[in-house]
Amino acid sequence: MTDHPPMRSFGRIKSRPIKPRQAALMDTLLPRIRIPDGTIELSALAPGAAEVWLEIGFGGGEHMAAQAARRPDVLILGAEPFLNGVASALRHLDERGLENVRLHAGDVRELLSRLPDASLARIFILFPDPWPKARHHKRRLIQADLLAELARVLAPGGRLRFASDWADYVDWTLERALRTPGLSWTAQRADDFRRPPADHVTTRYEEKRLGDCAPVFLDFVKA
């Protein structure tokens, strides 16, 4: 397992006041489902889970909660530094009564550094901040070192899904992922990346179409 310094989070950690109900869940539910510090024993987090998935930057938690509801046999880890997003996700988990999600309210690289090799079956990175200005590209989540870490924690046959509605970020990600040892792009034809995958869950953020192109979905598999 490789040690990495924590990656600086360039996004907003908190913007608007957290609603009272969500604030209460931050005090009650989050401590119960927070991923503990130190070495992570995945079997202890969810004994009997068929697989372990990770969503990086889960936003408001809609996609994560929907996937967890579909697959109660899977343990889903979620990482998000934006506290309003964490609070929103807690509401979704509480309303659905989901017990198979564990959260890291912080930078995902700190979490990745504590995960065992080949421990994840799926990773989702959906519509991350594109940082479209060239001088800000160094702030993008997708970088060579992060992709190397994702390849390390993916099990053979495991899948990484990246989605964006910014054309330059799609090209940026594809270029770097194809240079990452162990990752292979699964697309065989244009519809494989132009159409949402069958198991995709559309969120309110995605529906806003804030980017400069239609959503693109890149799926990679670990060799």
Side-chain angles (χ1 to χ4, degrees), residues 1 35-49 52 75 77 102 111 114-116 119:
M1 189 159 49
I35 299 171
D37 297 331
T39 303
I40 298 173
E41 297 290 342
L42 293 173
S43 59
L45 290 179
V52 182
L75 169 63
L77 310 179
R102 301 292 181 269
L111 174 63
R114 297 188 287 120
L115 287 175
S119 56

Side-chain angles (χ1 to χ4, degrees), residues 17-119:
I18 296 173
K19 297 177 181 179
R21 181 189 171 195
Q22 295 177 1
L25 291 172
M26 294 282 281
D27 292 333
T28 57
L29 180 56
L30 182 58
R32 183 165 64 83
I33 66 172
R34 188 179 71 86
I35 299 171
D37 297 331
T39 303
I40 298 173
E41 297 290 342
L42 293 173
S43 59
L45 290 179
E51 296 178 346
V52 182
W53 299 358
L54 168 65
E55 182 161 349
I56 299 174
F58 54 73
E62 297 165 84
H63 176 272
M64 180 175 61
Q67 294 289 2
R70 286 178 176 177
R71 291 293 305 271
D73 60 321
V74 169
L75 169 63
I76 299 184
L77 310 179
E80 172 62 64
F82 187 36
L83 295 183
N84 295 80
V86 174
S88 175
L90 290 171
R91 177 178 63 82
H92 288 296
L93 301 179
D94 183 59
E95 288 177 350
R96 290 173 176 248
L98 299 171
E99 300 288 341
N100 58 326
V101 177
R102 301 292 181 269
L103 300 184
H104 174 70
D107 204 310
V108 71
R109 275 189 53 176
E110 190 280 328
L111 174 63
L112 288 171
S113 70
R114 297 188 287 120
L115 287 175
D117 293 354
S119 56

Side-chain angles (χ1 to χ4, degrees), residues 148-198:
E149 271 291 84
L150 299 184
R152 178 186 69 80
V153 298
L154 273 175
R159 289 182 174 256
L160 163 65
R161 176 172 298 161
F162 171 89
S164 179
D165 53 5
W166 286 86
D168 176 70
Y169 205 0
V170 172
D171 293 342
W172 168 284
T173 299
L174 184 59
E175 177 186 354
R176 284 156 180 77
L178 291 178
R179 293 202 303 256
T180 302
L183 292 183
S184 299
W185 190 25
T186 64
Q188 299 295 318
R189 56 188 185 277
D191 280 352
D192 291 341
F193 56 86
R194 289 177 177 167
R195 292 184 177 180

Side-chain angles (χ1 to χ4, degrees), residues 1-21:
M1 189 159 49
T2 304
D3 291 331
H4 290 285
M7 183 172 65
R8 177 180 173 187
S9 176
F10 291 99
R12 297 170 299 167
I13 300 304
K14 183 180 178 183
S15 63
R16 61 191 183 279
I18 296 173
K19 297 177 181 179
R21 181 189 171 195

